[in-house]
Amino acid sequence: MTLTELRYIVAVARERHFGRAAEACFVSQPTLSVAIKKLEEELEVKIFERGGSEVSITPLGEDIVRQAQSVIEQANAIKEIAKRGKDPLAGPLRLGIIYTIGPYLLPELVRHSIEHYPQMPLILQEHFTVKLLEMLRTGELDCAIMAEPFPDTGLAIAPLYDEPFVVAAPAGHPFAQREQISAAELKSETMLLLGTGHCFRDHVLEVCPEFARFSSDAEGIRKSFEGSSLETIKHMVASGMGVTVVPALSVPKEPQAHLRFVPFEPPVPSRRVVLAWRRSFTRYEAIAALRNAIYACSLPDITRLS
């Protein structure tokens, strides 16, 4: 049994496909298939059920894959411990980040990271929260910047900041002349929402639960539209299609010709942004350096957390 074989079975379990797993491991499919068959023969168990294009894991295989992930993680930890002896910050840091934070935090974060920790380049991965949690669990990511709440996965969590929400409205909308807006006033508006899978969509629905009811006769709601990104939704708002709610960091620094951003009345809805990593991750100094780089960003209108 080798670490390479264990990596192969973890890849197949993740991809549910031998071809994609081989690509992810940078080997040919026959090489990967032969290695897995050899491991199954050595263990005298069947790890995968092969049927057409579908690959499923046997119940015993689930336990083996879970243990293989742990072994691979521990093997990587040995390398990380050795690196720490030379330079704790040496080597890339694989950082995940959700779509509604990445475009607004990363430009300044990457600049600070390059300036202060050039020996620790950031390998970045934008995705939904659910996918980032899976990638943390499988060791594909070292850490991730996400917004609470998310399922308790036994990760180490460090709070970064609380970010208030802001209403975005077309320049010609009555809201555009207001100093503040209450959440209740949004009930009668045409609301533009992010599509399913974005955690920020859920945050907006917490502010205005009425928008979770998509039936045409829902009281206080005319209709709603969905967008693929906050920037797309802002363009839709600017064109007069409705209003939306956005996080404070996404508000442009320069005034927008066709778009206005108006604060909420107290209590102001917000989200808590955190940094999460596996408890077994040994590069503590790298996590601390990343947090320092985040806190070095300007982050206007947010509340930093220690």
Side-chain angles (χ1 to χ4, degrees):
M1 186 187 307
T2 66
L3 282 174
T4 298
E5 291 168 348
L6 297 183
R7 290 191 179 97
Y8 289 169
I9 64 171
V10 168
V12 173
R14 182 179 65 246
E15 300 292 341
R16 292 294 200 275
H17 191 276
F18 277 82
R20 291 194 297 270
E23 290 178 9
C25 295
F26 303 102
V27 296
S28 67
Q29 184 172 335
T31 298
L32 179 136
S33 298
V34 168
I36 290 178
K37 186 177 181 182
K38 173 178 171 291
L39 180 60
E40 288 179 323
E41 290 173 351
E42 178 183 343
L43 298 176
E44 297 182 349
V45 298
K46 203 166 190 178
I47 300 173
F48 300 107
E49 294 285 354
R50 302 155 175 85
S53 60
E54 288 294 322
V55 175
S56 59
I57 311 176
T58 65
L60 191 57
E62 292 275 6
D63 293 336
I64 292 173
V65 169
R66 194 176 301 112
Q67 187 62 36
Q69 290 173 336
S70 177
V71 170
I72 292 169
E73 189 174 316
Q74 293 301 316
N76 290 336
I78 293 173
K79 295 179 182 178
E80 297 299 340
I81 291 170
K83 285 181 183 177
R84 288 175 60 197
K86 302 173 185 176
D87 182 352
L89 302 182
L93 185 69
R94 298 170 297 174
L95 171 65
I97 192 165
I98 58 175
Y99 293 115
T100 56
I101 295 178
Y104 315 110
L105 178 63
L106 286 178
E108 198 170 354
L109 172 59
V110 170
R111 179 170 61 81
H112 282 294
S113 180
I114 292 172
E115 289 177 359
H116 298 286
Y117 313 107
Q119 73 277 43
M120 189 185 76
L122 298 178
I123 299 177
L124 302 169
Q125 175 73 60
E126 263 190 320
H127 228 298
F128 296 117
T129 299
V130 172
K131 181 62 176 177
L132 295 181
L133 290 171
E134 178 188 341
M135 295 176 76
L136 281 171
R137 180 178 60 81
T138 59
E140 295 173 80
L141 290 175
D142 299 322
C143 53
I145 298 172
M146 300 178 289
E148 291 184 328
F150 48 81
D152 182 7
T153 55
L155 297 170
I157 304 291
L160 295 173
Y161 55 83
D162 286 337
E163 182 178 19
F165 299 159
V166 178
V167 176
H173 194 284
F175 283 175
Q177 310 305 318
R178 298 277 298 279
E179 293 294 324
Q180 292 182 327
I181 297 171
S182 69
E185 291 179 272
L186 298 178
K187 294 179 182 179
S188 60
E189 297 296 322
T190 299
M191 177 67 81
L192 309 183
L193 300 172
L194 283 171
T196 304
H198 290 277
C199 63
F200 189 71
R201 171 195 176 92
D202 299 328
H203 295 154
V204 174
L205 292 178
E206 286 179 13
V207 176
C208 301
E210 295 80 6
F211 287 99
R213 304 189 216 116
F214 284 105
S215 58
S216 58
D217 61 348
E219 182 180 354
I221 288 184
R222 295 209 307 273
K223 55 188 174 179
S224 64
F225 297 95
E226 294 185 358
S228 59
S229 73
L230 285 177
E231 294 308 306
T232 298
I233 287 180
K234 286 181 194 175
H235 291 307
M236 294 165 68
V237 171
S239 69
M241 289 188 65
V243 301
T244 194
V245 174
V246 299
L249 286 185
S250 73
V251 176
K253 293 181 174 60
E254 300 297 325
Q256 305 293 293
H258 305 290
L259 200 56
R260 298 291 182 271
F261 297 94
V262 187
F264 276 97
E265 291 179 356
V268 178
S270 65
R271 66 177 177 181
R272 174 155 295 184
V273 175
V274 302
L275 179 63
W277 65 95
R278 293 183 309 284
R279 294 185 183 277
S280 58
F281 186 59
T282 58
R283 294 178 64 191
Y284 315 116
E285 296 85 355
I287 295 294
L290 178 63
R291 291 182 70 189
N292 289 339
I294 293 170
Y295 287 139
C297 298
S298 55
L299 303 180
D301 301 320
I302 64 95
T303 302
R304 288 174 171 80
L305 303 170
S306 60

